[in-house]
């Protein structure tokens, strides 16, 4: 049995549970429970505030955790970075009142910056040789300049609309974050085995993202050209059709160039093209 710490509510909760579900691990939603055990995989979810996740993983109370990279770096705890998960993307940026002229990092010299991420901010200030005062506040950081508490802020930005509605503009992107899977440094061999199975499944799921399965009927004479258009994982699958001179061709394509490929295949005589969602790719 391995214990994984997950945010109990908030931005990462749903997608963390959805990730486990997509790799075939059933787990009840938190509701009022702190711990929930899967009925089909040796895993137990521990539901916590995101701030506490790096600590419980570092101490071993949970073996694994799903949390924003920003929280892991900010807490400065020693944990293993197991995988980037591709959701919960955001950036932590410096922002100042939009009426100010920004002439580069030195603008912050001698100024006061409000933030909930003092560690990440101080690191950037040191790297840029800036001497600024850091005012730590938790929550509603964006109102600090208008309230006269600080000259600028260092906070999480995703669309930027919160900044705009508070009369601020983003001037430096300091840190890019996404949800990550972290692990305890001293996990035992049994836990490592379970983690390997989880990673194997996560990678199969990641591999299928942005890809489609495509199949079509094709005149055999066009086969060589079609294979050039569709370089599959190894090579496309070709099956004979009952009607002479025709075959069925199956392959996997990236969604980003799906329509270009479809056009090229139609031009060489492909018919009855089917495009199907892909769930997993096991390499
Ligand atoms: P908790 O109650 O668990 O402490 P919280 O309020 O501190 O939650 P959330 O706002 O739920 O945290 O955000 C969790 C994580 O989601 C952040 O640490 C960050 O990694 C990520 N995230 C992605 N987009 C955003 C965003 N627009 N604003 C805030 N966090 C975001
Ligand atoms: Mg929090």
């Amino acid at each position: 049995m391995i214990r994984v710490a997950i945010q109990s509510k908030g931005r990462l909760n749903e997608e963390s549970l959805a990730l486990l579900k997509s790799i075939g691990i059933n787990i009840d939603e938190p509701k009022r429970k702190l711990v929930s055990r899967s009925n089909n995989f040796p895993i137990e979810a521990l539901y916590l505030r995101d701030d506490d996740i790096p600590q419980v993983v570092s101490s071993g109370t949970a073996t694994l955790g799903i949390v924003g990279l920003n929280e892991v770096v900010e807490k400065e705890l020693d944990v293993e970075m197991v995988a980037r998960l591709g959701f919960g993307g955001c950036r932590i940026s410096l922002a100042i009142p939009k009426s100010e002229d920004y002439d580069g990092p030195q603008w912050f010299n001698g100024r006061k910056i409000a933030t909930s991420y003092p560690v990440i901010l101080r690191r950037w200030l040191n790297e840029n040789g800036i001497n600024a005062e850091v005012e730590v506040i938790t929550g509603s950081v964006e109102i600090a300049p208008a309230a006269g508490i600080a000259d600028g802020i260092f906070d999480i930005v995703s669309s930027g609309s919160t900044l705009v509605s508070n009369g601020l503009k983003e001037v430096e992107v300091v840190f890019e974050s996404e949800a990550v899977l972290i692990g305890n440094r001293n996990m035992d061999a049994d836990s490592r085995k379970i983690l390997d199975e989880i990673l194997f499944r996560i990678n199969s799921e990641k591999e299928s993202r942005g890809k489609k399965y495509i199949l079509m009927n094709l005149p055999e004479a066009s086969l060589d050209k079609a294979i050039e258009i569709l370089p599959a994982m190894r090579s496309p699958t070709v099956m004979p059709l009952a009607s002479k001179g025709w075959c069925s061709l199956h392959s996997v394509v990236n969604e980003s160039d799906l329509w270009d490929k479809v056009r090229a295949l139609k031009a060489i005589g492909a018919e009855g093209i089917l495009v199907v969602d892909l769930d997993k790719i096991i390499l």
Side-chain angles (χ1 to χ4, degrees):
M1 175 70 65
I2 199 171
R3 187 182 271 173
V4 55
I6 289 175
Q7 195 188 19
S8 55
K9 49 184 168 44
R11 290 170 201 271
L12 301 182
N13 168 263
E14 266 182 35
E15 284 181 283
S16 303
L17 291 170
L19 171 74
L20 294 178
K21 197 169 169 205
S22 75
I23 59 170
I25 299 177
N26 298 336
I27 266 184
D28 286 341
E29 284 172 30
K31 300 201 182 96
R32 253 170 288 149
K33 278 193 287 183
L34 178 64
V35 182
S36 168
R37 189 174 284 203
S38 168
N39 59 12
N40 67 350
F41 196 83
I43 205 170
E44 183 176 78
L46 175 65
Y47 295 111
L48 297 172
R49 288 200 56 182
D50 68 344
D51 313 58
D52 299 330
I53 293 176
Q55 167 64 37
V56 296
V57 173
S58 144
S59 71
T61 302
T63 307
L64 301 176
I66 298 177
V67 66
L69 179 62
N70 52 312
E71 289 297 328
V72 182
V73 174
E74 182 63 30
K75 294 294 185 299
E76 296 186 291
L77 290 163
D78 187 30
V79 291
E80 184 180 328
M81 259 324 144
V82 179
R84 290 183 166 259
L85 298 175
F87 61 85
C90 60
R91 54 194 194 271
I92 313 187
S93 294
L94 282 157
I96 63 173
K98 67 170 185 287
S99 54
E100 292 284 334
D101 284 329
Y102 185 70
D103 53 358
Q106 62 277 9
W107 185 92
F108 290 97
N109 251 326
R111 312 259 184 163
K112 199 171 181 183
I113 310 167
T115 188
S116 312
Y117 294 96
V119 171
I120 299 174
L121 174 57
R122 286 203 179 97
R123 202 176 282 176
W124 183 86
L125 292 170
N126 286 339
E127 279 165 11
N128 287 277
I130 308 290
N131 203 346
E133 193 181 333
V134 177
E135 179 78 31
V136 180
I137 49 179
T138 52
S140 304
V141 171
E142 65 282 354
I143 63 164
I149 298 168
D151 302 298
I153 66 163
F154 178 60
D155 202 10
I156 292 188
V157 180
S158 49
S159 72
S161 59
T162 310
L163 293 183
V164 173
S165 59
N166 284 282
L168 301 171
K169 61 180 176 189
E170 184 176 6
V171 292
E172 299 280 349
V173 176
V174 171
F175 190 87
E176 310 246 19
S177 185
E178 69 181 280
V180 289
L181 180 65
I182 54 174
N184 177 265
R185 286 247 178 244
N186 307 313
M187 72 178 86
D188 60 23
D190 284 349
S191 300
R192 179 69 61 184
K193 249 175 125 174
I194 299 174
L195 171 58
D196 285 346
E197 175 63 24
I198 293 173
L199 277 178
F200 172 71
R201 295 187 188 187
I202 288 178
N203 288 334
S204 307
E205 150 63 29
K206 265 194 190 159
E207 198 61 44
S208 71
R209 274 186 218 161
K211 297 210 175 87
K212 296 282 178 191
Y213 192 78
I214 186 169
L215 49 154
M216 72 215 71
N217 295 336
L218 192 76
E220 273 170 355
S222 298
L223 197 53
D224 287 348
K225 280 186 199 142
I227 290 173
E228 263 173 48
I229 299 169
L230 289 173
M233 285 176 283
R234 194 156 290 156
S235 75
T237 306
V238 182
M239 284 183 281
L241 284 187
S243 24
K244 224 173 167 308
W246 282 78
C247 62
S248 166
L249 181 69
H250 299 211
S251 188
V252 173
V253 293
N254 284 323
E255 210 171 351
S256 54
D257 45 33
L258 173 70
W259 294 107
D260 288 341
K261 305 253 172 195
V262 165
R263 210 173 306 115
L265 291 163
K266 278 180 75 72
I268 58 164
E271 288 180 4
I273 302 175
L274 300 182
V275 179
V276 184
D277 279 345
L278 258 176
D279 199 21
K280 309 273 182 298
I281 296 183
I282 321 276
L283 291 175

